[in-house]
C-alpha cells in the first residue's frame, strides 16, 4: 500500500468517526460555553474533544485579535479557546482537553500507559508548536486571518515558506501511518485531531486562490483530503535537515 492510500485510509477513519457521533449525551446543570474562533487549530481541538465526548456546549465566536476588555478579563493571556464551566474560565487547549478527559474518560482520547500517553502528547505538541509555527502562521494566518482582521496583505515570502514546509509534515505523518493504524497508535487519540488542520492547510497550498471567493460568501468550513504526494519516503524524514530548509 502506498502513502497516498495510507493517508486516505486514515482520513476515511476520521470521517467515519465524525459521522458516528450522535446527539450530545452528557449534560450539565448549567450550559458550558466555549469562547473560540472557527479557524483556530487550538479551538478546533477542544471542539472535537467535546464532540467526541458528546458534551453539549454553547459556542461563542471570539475575535481574539481585537483583544477586548471582556476577553482579556476572561483570559489575561489574550488567547483562545476559553471554556466557561461552573463559573470558572479554563484556558490552554491541551489543559482543557485533558481536564475533559478526567471528567469524562469514555470514550478515551488519552491512553493509560505512560509510553502511549507520551507519544500522544509528543504529537499534539508537534501540531501545536512545530506545525503551527512552520505552516499555520505562514499559510492560514497570512492568507486568511489577515483578511478577516484587516491586518493587510499576505507576506508572499512567508506563504512560500509555509507551502514548502507543509510537504515535510505531510511526509512525516504518512511515514507514521505506514507503521500505525492511527497517528499515535492503534486507536484514535487527541493526536489525530491535528490531522484536520493539516488537510485544511494543504487546501490553502493548492487552492489558495479560491479562498477570497469562498470567504466572500460567508463562513466556510473545509475538510479536504488530497491523497497526493510529491515524494515517497522509505525512511523517517530528515528532521535535522528540516530545521533550516526555509532559509
Amino acid at each position: 500500500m502506498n502513502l497516498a492510500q495510507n493517508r486516505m485510509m486514515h482520513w476515511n477513519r476520521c470521517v467515519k468517526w465524525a459521522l458516528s457521533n450522535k446527539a450530545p449525551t452528557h449534560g450539565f446543570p448549567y450550559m458550558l460555553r466555549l469562547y473560540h474562533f472557527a479557524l483556530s487549530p487550538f479551538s478546533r481541538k477542544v471542539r472535537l474533544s467535546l464532540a467526541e465526548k458528546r458534551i453539549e456546549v454553547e459556542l461563542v465566536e471570539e475575535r481574539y485579535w481585537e483583544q477586548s476588555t471582556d476577553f482579556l478579563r476572561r483570559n489575561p493571556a489574550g488567547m483562545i479557546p476559553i471554556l466557561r464551566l461552573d463559573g470558572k474560565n479554563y484556558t490552554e487547549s491541551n489543559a482543557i482537553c485533558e481536564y475533559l478527559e478526567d471528567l469524562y474518560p469514555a470514550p478515551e482520547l488519552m491512553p493509560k500507559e505512560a509510553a502511549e500517553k507520551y507519544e500522544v502528547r509528543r504529537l499534539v505538541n508537534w501540531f501545536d508548536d512545530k506545525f503551527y509555527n512552520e505552516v499555520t502562521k505562514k499559510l492560514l494566518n497570512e492568507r486568511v486571518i489577515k483578511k478577516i482582521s484587516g491586518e493587510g496583505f499576505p507576506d508572499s515570502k512567508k506563504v512560500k515558506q509555509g507551502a514548502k514546509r507543509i510537504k515535510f509534515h505531510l511526509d512525516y505523518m504518512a511515514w507514521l501511518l505506514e507503521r500505525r493504524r492511527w497517528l499515535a497508535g492503534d486507536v484514535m487519540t487527541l493526536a489525530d485531531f491535528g490531522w484536520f488542520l493539516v488537510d485544511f492547510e494543504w487546501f490553502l497550498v493548492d487552492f489558495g486562490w479560491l479562498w477570497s471567493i469562498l470567504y466572500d460568501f460567508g463562513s466556510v468550513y473545509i475538510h479536504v483530503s488530497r491523497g497526493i504526494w510529491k515524494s515517497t519516503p522509505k525512511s523517517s524524514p530528515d528532521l535535522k535537515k528540516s530545521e533550516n530548509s526555509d532559509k
Side-chain angles (χ1 to χ4, degrees):
M1 184 180 297
N2 62 35
L3 297 184
Q5 291 173 325
N6 223 332
R7 182 173 179 237
M8 286 299 294
M9 284 183 63
H10 182 266
W11 177 257
N12 288 335
R13 293 187 197 112
C14 291
V15 171
K16 288 179 181 178
W17 159 78
L19 294 177
S20 69
N21 278 324
K22 300 177 182 178
T25 57
H26 291 309
F28 287 82
Y30 39 82
M31 173 66 77
L32 275 71
R33 178 177 296 169
L34 182 68
Y35 295 92
H36 77 122
F37 187 68
L39 297 178
S40 161
F42 309 105
S43 296
R44 183 181 298 110
K45 187 198 311 173
V46 174
R47 291 198 308 271
L48 289 171
S49 293
L50 289 164
E52 176 64 2
K53 304 274 183 196
R54 298 178 184 174
I55 300 172
E56 189 174 4
V57 64
E58 176 190 1
L59 298 177
V60 179
E61 182 178 273
E62 184 69 71
R63 299 172 72 85
Y64 61 91
W65 55 86
E66 295 179 353
Q67 298 285 285
S68 69
T69 302
D70 287 341
F71 173 49
L72 292 175
R73 187 179 297 115
R74 286 188 288 270
N75 183 11
M79 297 187 295
I80 53 173
I82 304 168
L83 182 66
R84 181 75 175 176
L85 192 162
D86 195 21
K88 298 179 181 179
N89 292 321
Y90 294 84
T91 62
E92 299 294 338
S93 61
N94 291 335
I96 292 172
C97 288
E98 295 210 27
Y99 180 64
L100 293 173
E101 186 74 10
D102 289 338
L103 287 179
Y104 293 103
E108 187 177 273
L109 295 176
M110 181 65 73
K112 293 291 191 296
E113 296 296 326
E116 296 174 355
K117 186 178 294 185
Y118 158 78
E119 183 62 3
V120 171
R121 286 173 172 158
R122 183 186 74 82
L123 287 171
V124 168
N125 188 66
W126 177 286
F127 287 117
D128 287 354
D129 187 1
K130 187 174 179 65
F131 185 85
Y132 179 78
N133 285 300
E134 293 184 1
V135 179
T136 303
K137 288 177 69 174
K138 296 177 180 179
L139 288 181
L140 182 64
N141 288 17
E142 289 296 324
R143 283 186 164 178
V144 181
I145 302 302
K146 274 190 173 181
K147 180 182 178 78
I148 298 173
S149 61
E151 295 179 11
F153 296 99
D155 184 324
S156 60
K157 182 178 179 180
K158 291 182 179 179
V159 171
K160 289 178 181 178
Q161 289 175 340
K164 182 179 179 181
R165 295 300 298 131
I166 194 173
K167 295 171 186 176
F168 163 76
H169 289 273
L170 289 168
D171 283 345
Y172 180 53
M173 295 302 111
W175 181 80
L176 289 176
L177 288 172
E178 276 191 319
R179 293 152 177 79
R180 308 166 178 177
R181 180 174 174 80
W182 296 84
L183 286 181
D186 294 331
V187 296
M188 189 187 72
T189 65
L190 285 172
D192 293 282
F193 293 165
W195 190 263
F196 291 96
L197 174 64
V198 173
D199 277 311
F200 182 77
E201 302 286 357
W202 189 234
F203 174 88
L204 290 179
V205 172
D206 283 356
F207 300 102
W209 57 274
L210 281 174
W211 177 258
S212 59
I213 299 174
L214 293 171
Y215 180 71
D216 287 341
F217 283 94
S219 297
V220 181
Y221 297 84
I222 304 167
H223 296 295
V224 176
S225 182
R226 292 291 310 283
I228 296 175
W229 300 89
K230 300 297 184 182
S231 61
T232 306
K234 297 302 181 183
S235 58
S236 175
D238 189 341
L239 300 183
K240 291 183 179 179
K241 181 180 179 182
S242 73
E243 297 298 330
N244 299 313
S245 60
D246 288 343
K247 298 178 182 178

